Amino acid sequence: MEGYAYTIWIILLPFLVFLVTGVLSLRIRPQLAGWIGTAGILVTLVLSLLTAWNYFSAALPADGGWPTVIPVNYTWLRFSDTLVVHMGVLLDPISIMMLLVVSIVSSMVHIYSLGYMKDEPGFARYFAFLSLFSFSMYGLVLATNLFQIYFFWELVGVSSYLLIGFYYDRPSAVAAAKKAFIVTRFADFGFLVGILLLSWYSGTFDFLALNNPDGAAIAGAASATFMGASVLTWALVLIFMGGAGKSAMFPLHIWLPDAMEGPTPVSALIHAATMVVAGVYLVARLFPVYHMSGGAALEVVAWTGAITALFAALIAITQEDIKRVLAYSTMSQIGYMMLSLGVSGYGGEEGLGYTASMFHLFTHAMFKALLFLGAGAVIHAVHSNVMGDMGGLRKYLPITHAAFLVACLAIAGIPPLSGFFSKDEILAAALHHNPAIYGIALLVAGLTALYMFRLYFRVFWGEEKAYAHKPHEAPLVMWGPLMVLAALSVVGGFIPFGHYVSSDRQVMAMHPEMSIAVTASVVSIAGILLAMWLYRRPSALPAQIAGSLGSLYQSAKNKFYIDEIYMGVTKKILFAGIATPVAWFDRHIVDGTMNAIANLTARISSVIKGLQSGHVQQYAVGFVVGVLGLVVIFIYWLKF
Amino acid sequence: MNWDDLLLMRHELQLLAVILIVTCAEIYLSGRDKSRIIPLSLALFGIHMAAGWLWPVEGELFGGMYRTNGLIHLMKSILDVGVFIVILQAGGWARKQLAPENRVSEFFLLIWSSLLGMYYMVSAGDLLMVFLGLELSTLPVAALAAYEVLKMRSAEAGIKFILTAGLASAVTLMGISLLYGSTGTFVLADLGKQMQGNSLEALGFIFFFAGVAFKISLVPFHFWTPDVYEGAPVSVAAYLSVISKGAAVFILMILLMGFAPLLTDLWVNVLYLLAILTMTIGNLFALRQRNLKRLLAYSAVAQAGFIMLGFMSSQQDGKASIIYFMLVYLFSNLAAFGVVQTIEMHTGKEDIGDYEGLYRTNPRLSLVMLLALFSLAGIPPLAGFFGKFFLFMTVASAGYYLLLTIAVINTVISLYYYLLIVRAMFLRKSDNPLPLVTSDGWMRAGLVICVAGIVALGVASGVYDAIYALCAHL
């Protein structure tokens, strides 16, 4: 389809910016690198808005569904005539929605960083990495096939690694970067195996062919079985493993809280709004395949999401570090999106969960980026991440306070802010499908309100601490983006999302269900009131409650000891039980064989060295013998 | 003969014009100004190269003695790129070594004469033209190999080359006459029709083939390679390893795949055997070398064996994989030779041991060398990986799994000696590493082109697809 060819520049432009700022990072003034990066991302923002406008304002085709447009599809590798890897741009409602999310949040983060990262030594490097990330993320969301998405999936992993480890002189940052990389790489292994399985059976990587509702491409995988489930189900569960790693789903979530070692705007961009929802996007991208595979794979998705949502919300209540609270909150909300996808059906009202999940992804990106950027402004003002060092800041940071309050109300799901609408749809979808999951989701809604307002009251209310110097409001480049995101968090809920995004591309009307809306609001308000009672004024009550909960509180505070379990497993079982014997085998058997081969090669090589004597007469003899040898072999012996 | 016919011979005529202009410049410039010939030559050849890429045309001249088409045009253009990089990299050497002795222009003229021979060879429509082209491309190289006349080794290289080349020519000519004796024609197009597939033709083919195999350095016709590479000036060694070999591979491809249908069984089997011998022996010898020029010589022998893999299929994929590999190999090998040349020119060192700790003092040169070696070894995502990948795919689709296995084993062996150099440069510490070497601007431009080629060809699959499309008709 013509008319969208310019979309390739949305991907390429940040890459060019990365090359320019990366190569010149030591030659040009750091400020200039920042401006180049910001200008580049703003151009992609304009292009993304233009794309969305063109796409959604065009008339719907006759069958009433939003079309899939592939304006650019470049052949990258040709394995055979049927199996070809493309790199291209795929436009459909969810990729355009992701495009908007990435471009808006990335633009805001770029602008905000101009202020937040000012005077940092690696300013130019920081912007180069941000551009690299934006490039990778655009490439990921616009991918036309599984291979391309995997390629950019690894690239976002790399840029995330680079940005988490931005303060590379801090050992904790380096460790966190490594942890994030290793855990997500481990998950990506499953992803890769899943891709290979799926493409082996279907003969294609392309989403368009895989998602075709007639199911022709996946029929082969669906009919083959392995260990009681179809190969298709196995492939999809493995692909979901990759998504779960990137999206920090239990039990692959351990890297996300540590990733908060990176600069705060990076946390807002990568670890709240864009990269971590890539897993949700991946499942949504392949949703027709998940649906056609039968219920098992989606069941896994739903329960993983539900467990993560609850588990992370419980931990969030106990954390002291403001960014870690937000990190667990992110995990919890992504769990929400996952469970919503998991409970969704395909087509019409059945597909409500799908729409709700995408809707929540959109609204969450806005208010969670806002929360992180707001937290950044707070950290900027008091030079600490720990809530114990904060309190009574509403007087000093009025703008940040207002924006933060909006975000807290939005995430808690208070009408008429955006979070209310999207969360309401998720609850409705869950109720129709699985009451148990609905119960968990409702509980999490209450917990969300509780931990967010615990954070809010402890930072902005409560007892005023003795600050080293008077906290001051952030500069315009920092609070400007806060205002933009706050405005989007307020009005985002009024977008008629079902009109644009639905599982079968048809226009779908969404009507809020009064009973669910009221229940959810009541639960949320209860959570807020509880937080207000406990934390608005300094009191001994929270500590008493924590004491009376005893081990439950302790284990939540210690993140349910998941990290320790992993360490135990890796040290005791992997290292001692498996790695040591394998190392012995490698050193003595494999290396021994290799050394034997190497010795043999060297010996042959020294035996034949006499052939090369340096005497040209012998070379001539060799030449003639060679010719005659060929003659004898092929004409007299083999009789050609 | 009208204007359009002249356009068919555009490559040859352009190059001839360049040769004449530089000859006149040599005559009219006075002694002191003669170093200006270097930029002049580079500029003229650059224009020739750029103009050569344009407008591929198809047709015949002189009653079929000369023919060209899109694929032949591409082959010539690839050779142009290689020669351009070679003379670009030689620019600084020519200024420093040749200009004081007043021997600049001959260097360029000899290289171009040889190139002209290659043009006629790949465009040849009959066997006599092939032979004339072959000779014209070979004789100047003997002079080039002995170009540093005052160095014993260079003179020795020239003598060894001319003696072996003479032998090879004689055998080739013998083969041609046998083929003529059996078929009664020189014209390639008729040759295929007149052949009966008898033993006389097979004998003729083997004799003819030996001469071409000599230029490609296939075992057992490779003995001259290391001695000549080591003795000749580095630019000439680079020229021999890429351009000379490339042209011979191209003509072999045209003749075998285009005009010898009855002999297909024979030559596939001959090449099958020689591919195995060449890869294995080239690699085994390369393992022992400590002198980098000799090492690269044996590596060039081994790579020639890999190229033969593409001949296992006469289909489009076989042809495309050969041409694509030659293009990749051109950039990779010239990058490696360029680094060796830079180091040798400034320090006179050319052993692996001398390269220890090079990364500390010359990080950029070391990185170029790293990329070149990784590409030669075939490590993804560099171009060399895809070059080998397509060759292997050709062998696999033709069903020669034993050959494929041997090729893969050889790839692993080659990795060892390429990594030896990398280890010396990056991991070994040396008490007195080589000092910082500043390469001249021309060399730097040449290396940048090579690196760009190595990286870009790995990413841009459009190149392979374009070659693949051109290979539809030979």
Side-chain angles (χ1 to χ4, degrees):
Chain A
M1 266 246 252
E2 62 286 343
Y4 291 107
Y6 63 85
T7 44
I8 190 71
W9 288 104
I10 299 178
I11 303 181
L12 292 182
L13 198 65
F15 184 64
L16 293 180
V17 170
F18 161 66
L19 287 183
V20 169
T21 49
V23 169
L24 299 179
S25 66
L26 296 177
R27 303 254 173 101
I28 53 176
R29 281 193 308 124
Q31 285 301 321
L32 184 61
W35 285 112
I36 295 174
T38 311
I41 204 73
L42 285 175
V43 173
T44 64
L45 172 63
V46 171
L47 289 177
S48 304
L49 290 171
L50 187 70
T51 310
W53 174 259
N54 284 344
Y55 183 86
F56 286 122
S57 67
L60 282 172
D63 67 350
W66 293 104
T68 299
V69 183
I70 300 185
V72 180
N73 213 14
Y74 171 75
T75 307
W76 192 54
L77 268 184
R78 184 187 297 279
F79 287 109
S80 68
D81 285 339
T82 46
L83 195 59
V84 178
V85 178
H86 289 109
M87 287 278 168
V89 172
L90 181 147
L91 298 177
D92 70 353
I94 57 169
S95 74
I96 290 180
M97 180 209 75
M98 286 300 288
L99 204 57
L100 290 179
V101 168
V102 175
S103 58
I104 293 173
V105 176
S106 190
S107 303
M108 292 309 129
V109 165
H110 270 79
I111 297 173
Y112 181 92
S113 299
L114 288 174
Y116 186 85
M117 298 300 287
K118 204 174 159 200
D119 307 328
E120 285 284 346
F123 191 78
R125 179 166 56 95
Y126 173 82
F127 274 92
F129 288 165
L130 273 192
S131 298
L132 176 66
F133 172 77
S134 304
F135 155 68
S136 322
M137 198 64 210
Y138 281 135
L140 193 159
V141 301
L142 293 175
T144 63
N145 59 72
L146 275 170
F147 203 91
Q148 184 183 355
I149 215 172
Y150 182 74
F151 182 89
F152 284 103
W153 188 271
E154 293 302 331
L155 266 182
V156 285
V158 170
S159 31
S160 156
Y161 167 82
L162 291 171
L163 282 165
I164 296 171
F166 179 74
Y167 299 115
Y168 57 81
D169 45 355
R170 291 187 201 158
S172 60
V174 174
K178 232 190 290 178
K179 187 170 176 184
F181 196 71
I182 292 170
V183 173
T184 51
R185 275 299 306 146
F186 172 71
D188 292 348
F189 175 69
F191 186 16
L192 184 61
V193 174
I195 290 179
L196 292 178
L197 273 180
L198 192 58
S199 58
W200 175 262
Y201 278 92
S202 61
T204 179
F205 291 117
D206 290 345
F207 290 130
L208 209 53
L210 289 170
N211 283 340
N212 194 332
D214 69 6
I218 55 170
S223 56
T225 55
F226 176 74
M227 282 174 59
S230 73
V231 169
L232 183 59
T233 303
W234 280 106
L236 291 176
V237 169
L238 284 167
I239 289 176
F240 174 66
M241 179 179 163
K246 224 20 130 217
S247 289
M249 291 289 99
F250 177 84
L252 295 168
H253 64 279
I254 52 164
W255 62 274
L256 186 61
D258 290 14
M260 296 300 134
E261 287 290 341
T264 307
V266 166
S267 310
L269 174 61
I270 302 184
H271 307 118
T274 58
M275 186 188 82
V276 287
V277 295
V280 181
Y281 178 70
L282 179 67
V283 176
R285 177 49 72 219
L286 286 173
F287 188 75
V289 185
Y290 273 90
H291 178 72
M292 284 182 278
S293 76
L298 280 180
E299 204 73 14
V300 172
V301 174
W303 280 104
T304 309
I307 291 170
T308 309
L310 177 62
F311 169 86
L314 284 174
I315 298 179
I317 301 178
T318 60
Q319 296 301 303
E320 284 296 310
D321 181 316
I322 174 168
K323 285 180 73 181
R324 280 178 183 256
V325 175
L326 292 178
Y328 282 105
S329 153
T330 305
M331 276 166 58
S332 170
Q333 296 298 310
I334 297 172
Y336 239 81
M337 299 170 207
M338 284 289 190
L339 80 84
S340 176
L341 276 178
V343 299
S344 176
Y346 185 78
E349 293 286 316
E350 284 292 297
L352 178 65
Y354 178 88
T355 305
S357 169
M358 292 295 105
F359 195 11
H360 198 58
L361 191 161
F362 183 80
T363 57
H364 171 260
M366 302 305 154
F367 58 67
K368 186 50 68 64
L370 175 55
L371 282 171
F372 267 105
L373 294 185
V378 170
I379 294 168
H380 193 71
V382 301
H383 303 289
S384 167
N385 285 4
V386 185
M387 278 193 263
D389 300 339
M390 302 167 189
L393 286 173
R394 67 182 187 284
K395 284 179 232 154
Y396 303 106
L397 308 170
I399 301 171
T400 308
H401 169 241
F404 210 87
L405 180 59
V406 166
C408 286
L409 289 171
I411 192 174
I414 302 301
L417 298 170
S418 60
F420 163 74
F421 292 96
S422 53
K423 198 172 279 187
D424 184 52
E425 299 298 336
I426 291 182
L427 289 170
L431 179 61
H432 294 309
H433 174 82
N434 188 330
I437 288 184
Y438 171 74
I440 294 177
L442 198 61
L443 175 60
V444 172
L447 291 174
T448 306
L450 174 61
Y451 67 68
M452 279 321 302
F453 278 86
R454 167 176 174 266
L455 177 71
Y456 167 75
F457 283 118
R458 288 191 60 181
V459 171
F460 291 101
W461 297 69
E463 185 188 4
E464 210 172 300
K465 297 288 171 348
Y467 298 110
H469 57 84
K470 205 172 136 225
H472 54 89
E473 184 56 273
L476 173 66
V477 283
M478 286 170 67
W479 65 256
L482 292 185
M483 288 295 106
V484 174
L485 290 170
L488 287 168
S489 303
V490 172
V491 302
F494 294 102
I495 299 173
F497 224 73
H499 184 77
Y500 301 117
V501 177
S502 66
S503 56
D504 55 357
R505 309 285 182 81
Q506 305 292 329
V507 169
M508 185 176 90
M510 296 203 300
H511 2 263
E513 290 183 42
M514 237 21 228
S515 57
I516 295 177
V518 171
T519 320
S521 303
V522 168
V523 169
S524 296
I525 291 169
I528 296 175
L529 291 176
L530 182 62
M532 197 163 152
W533 175 55
L534 288 173
Y535 297 108
R536 185 168 162 198
R537 294 207 177 71
S539 77
L541 214 51
Q544 283 170 14
I545 296 172
S548 66
L549 284 174
S551 61
L552 180 64
Y553 176 82
Q554 278 306 321
S555 51
K557 182 160 181 157
N558 290 306
K559 309 161 216 162
F560 294 104
Y561 302 104
I562 300 289
D563 279 271
E564 284 73 11
I565 292 170
Y566 273 114
M567 284 315 280
V569 169
T570 45
K571 282 230 173 82
K572 294 259 163 57
I573 300 176
L574 275 182
F575 290 176
I578 300 174
T580 313
V582 169
W584 182 89
F585 182 82
D586 181 61
R587 205 168 307 137
H588 292 90
I589 312 289
V590 179
D591 279 7
T593 317
M594 285 300 150
N595 286 338
I597 294 174
N599 285 337
L600 186 68
T601 319
R603 206 161 301 159
I604 296 173
S605 154
S606 86
V607 167
I608 57 177
K609 74 176 176 204
L611 287 176
Q612 194 78 36
S613 62
H615 297 294
V616 75
Q617 301 92 316
Q618 288 184 11
Y619 296 174
V621 171
F623 189 101
V624 172
V625 168
V627 175
L628 294 179
L630 287 179
V631 170
V632 168
I633 294 173
F634 285 99
I635 297 181
Y636 290 96
W637 186 33
L638 295 175
K639 303 249 189 278
F640 274 102
Chain B
M1 195 159 153
N2 54 31
W3 177 250
D4 284 350
D5 291 344
L6 282 180
L7 211 58
L8 280 181
M9 280 182 55
R10 193 156 41 87
H11 264 106
E12 289 77 3
L13 295 177
Q14 279 172 194
L15 186 59
L16 208 56
V18 173
I19 291 176
L20 290 177
I21 296 173
V22 173
T23 312
C24 293
E26 165 69 21
I27 294 170
Y28 290 111
L29 284 178
S30 64
R32 200 172 287 166
D33 291 337
K34 281 196 175 159
S35 63
R36 288 197 201 155
I37 287 177
I38 303 170
L40 174 74
S41 301
L42 291 175
L44 284 174
F45 194 81
I47 295 168
H48 159 69
M49 175 181 72
W53 277 101
L54 308 170
W55 311 299
V57 280
E58 194 161 351
E60 288 185 350
L61 281 180
F62 309 117
M65 282 187 83
Y66 179 94
R67 55 191 278 279
T68 186
N69 59 33
L71 190 61
I72 292 178
H73 187 91
L74 174 72
M75 290 170 174
K76 290 179 185 169
S77 304
I78 291 176
L79 293 177
D80 279 348
V81 174
V83 169
F84 183 67
I85 298 174
V86 167
I87 59 177
L88 203 56
Q89 291 180 341
W93 169 72
R95 162 159 298 184
K96 194 174 160 198
Q97 304 268 336
L98 304 183
E101 301 169 27
N102 209 351
R103 298 190 301 128
V104 175
S105 52
E106 290 91 333
F107 175 75
F108 293 106
L109 294 177
L110 284 168
I111 281 199
W112 291 336
S113 307
S114 165
L115 180 63
L116 193 62
M118 291 168 189
Y119 285 170
Y120 279 115
M121 182 166 77
V122 293
S123 263
D126 76 13
L127 280 175
L128 279 183
M129 279 296 288
V130 173
F131 185 71
L132 285 178
L134 196 65
E135 286 300 283
L136 180 54
S137 70
T138 308
L139 291 177
V141 179
L144 284 168
Y147 209 71
E148 290 178 301
V149 273
L150 296 181
K151 285 190 187 161
M152 279 289 281
R153 285 198 313 183
S154 184
E156 183 190 331
I159 277 291
K160 278 184 175 167
F161 185 80
I162 192 81
L163 286 175
T164 343
L167 180 65
S169 295
V171 175
T172 302
L173 204 51
M174 180 74 187
I176 289 179
S177 51
L178 288 177
L179 285 173
Y180 181 73
S182 172
T183 60
T185 178
F186 285 128
V187 182
L188 293 178
D190 296 340
L191 207 60
K193 292 176 204 146
Q194 304 289 337
M195 274 191 190
Q196 289 129 29
N198 55 28
S199 301
L200 187 63
E201 282 159 7
L203 192 66
F205 162 72
I206 289 179
F207 277 25
F208 174 82
F209 169 76
V212 182
F214 156 80
K215 296 209 71 164
I216 309 181
S217 305
L218 292 180
V219 174
F221 312 112
H222 71 288
F223 291 108
W224 60 278
T225 317
D227 292 5
V228 173
Y229 280 29
E230 191 186 0
V234 186
S235 309
V236 178
Y239 179 83
L240 275 169
S241 79
V242 177
I243 320 295
S244 184
K245 174 179 294 184
V249 168
F250 290 156
I251 186 64
L252 195 63
M253 189 174 118
I254 291 174
L255 292 180
L256 296 186
M257 295 186 181
F259 301 107
L262 278 179
L263 292 175
T264 307
D265 273 351
L266 172 65
W267 64 256
V268 166
N269 281 290
V270 170
L271 290 181
Y272 186 107
L273 176 71
L274 292 196
I276 293 176
L277 279 179
T278 308
M279 286 187 289
T280 314
I281 293 193
N283 276 331
L284 287 178
F285 273 103
L287 286 179
R288 309 186 54 78
Q289 305 306 320
R290 287 294 166 267
N291 178 298
L292 272 175
K293 282 159 82 179
R294 284 186 84 86
L295 189 146
L296 285 177
Y298 282 112
S299 128
V301 171
Q303 299 278 356
F306 284 110
I307 297 172
M308 292 306 116
L309 299 180
F311 283 88
M312 291 304 115
S313 158
S314 303
Q315 308 298 319
Q316 219 169 335
D317 57 342
K319 298 171 195 165
S321 63
I322 293 171
I323 296 187
Y324 182 77
F325 186 85
M326 279 312 305
L327 190 60
V328 169
Y329 171 72
L330 182 153
F331 288 120
S332 319
N333 220 26
L334 288 182
F337 269 107
V339 174
V340 171
Q341 183 178 8
T342 312
I343 302 276
E344 196 229 348
M345 196 168 85
H346 289 88
T347 64
K349 300 289 174 70
E350 52 189 43
D351 280 354
I352 290 187
D354 300 326
Y355 278 55
E356 283 179 3
L358 189 72
Y359 177 65
R360 293 216 157 161
T361 50
N362 293 291
R364 270 187 279 181
L365 277 180
S366 310
L367 283 174
V368 172
M369 192 69 171
L370 176 84
L371 283 176
L373 294 172
F374 276 10
S375 181
L376 284 172
I379 291 176
L382 297 172
F385 167 75
F386 292 97
K388 283 219 171 79
F389 174 77
F390 290 125
L391 286 175
F392 289 179
M393 287 288 277
T394 303
V395 177
S397 63
Y400 297 106
Y401 293 107
L402 176 67
L403 180 60
L404 183 65
T405 314
I406 295 175
V408 170
I409 292 172
N410 268 299
T411 312
V412 177
I413 299 181
S414 73
L415 196 59
Y416 175 74
Y417 57 81
Y418 291 129
L419 287 182
L420 270 186
I421 309 176
V422 174
R423 184 178 69 160
M425 291 190 304
F426 287 84
L427 300 180
R428 285 294 175 87
K429 294 206 175 75
S430 170
D431 295 333
N432 48 345
L434 294 176
L436 173 64
V437 171
T438 30
S439 49
D440 53 89
W442 287 319
M443 172 59 86
R444 227 176 279 171
L447 290 177
V448 166
I449 295 175
C450 291
V451 168
I454 293 172
V455 175
L457 282 176
V459 185
S461 71
V463 177
Y464 182 76
D465 290 340
I467 294 176
Y468 189 81
L470 269 180
C471 288
H473 42 82
L474 196 67

